[in-house]
Amino acid sequence: MQPVSMMLLGLKFKLLGKLIDGVTATDMVLTVTQMLRKHGVVGKFVGFYGEGMSELSLADPTCLLGMGFMY
């Protein structure tokens, strides 16, 4: 095995408030993805924080993490 070096770049995404009734975590992930693409964010790790995280159901953060969330 040979060592491989790589530069990891990331950003933080602050979540505020809570999801409106009927909006799913998948809807949120798709919206976040659209926002990141609009700003040219590619190949970066995205971390989520903020009081909005505590408003998510138990499964919702898993949806965020399930997207990688390397974008």
Side-chain angles (χ1 to χ4, degrees):
M1 264 191 169
Q2 295 291 323
V4 176
S5 66
M6 52 194 289
M7 186 167 64
L8 298 175
L9 299 174
L11 60 107
K12 293 180 181 180
F13 198 103
K14 187 173 186 178
L15 296 177
L16 302 171
K18 62 181 181 175
L19 295 176
I20 299 169
D21 287 339
V23 175
T24 66
T26 302
D27 296 329
M28 180 178 64
V29 167
L30 293 173
T31 300
V32 168
T33 300
Q34 184 179 40
M35 293 168 70
L36 294 173
R37 283 184 181 164
K38 183 178 178 181
H39 290 282
V41 177
V42 177
K44 296 190 175 23
F45 288 98
V46 180
F48 295 89
Y49 74 103
E51 60 267 16
M53 289 296 291
S54 64
E55 295 293 332
L56 297 175
S57 75
L58 187 58
D60 291 345
T62 305
C63 187
L64 292 172
L65 295 173
M67 295 295 283
F69 210 95
M70 182 199 172
Y71 190 78

